[in-house]
Amino acid sequence: MTTMTQTAAKADTGLLPIVSTALAGVFLIFFAGFAQATVFHDTAHDTRHAIAFPCH
Ligand SMILES: [Zn+2]
């Protein structure tokens, strides 16, 4: 009984970080990619260069 409760609780908490992280990542990508303000785009561009991500 106790084991089943712990397993269920572990399964419930295991999905929330994955979903929230995925939503945050999608939000950041679309926010930086389609932002009209050049400040946001330039910030994302500079961040890509700072982490040595291939850009152009
Ligand atoms: Zn670049």
Side-chain angles (χ1 to χ4, degrees):
M1 184 78 173
T2 304
T3 304
M4 287 181 61
T5 303
Q6 288 175 348
T7 303
K10 192 179 290 183
D12 286 343
T13 56
L15 195 60
L16 182 61
I18 295 171
V19 172
S20 60
T21 304
L23 286 175
V26 167
F27 172 75
L28 285 175
I29 288 171
F30 280 91
F31 180 75
F34 297 110
Q36 293 296 320
T38 56
V39 174
F40 298 130
H41 181 82
D42 291 344
T43 301
H45 187 224
D46 293 343
T47 304
R48 281 201 299 263
H49 281 271
I51 63 174
F53 190 82
C55 182
H56 54 85

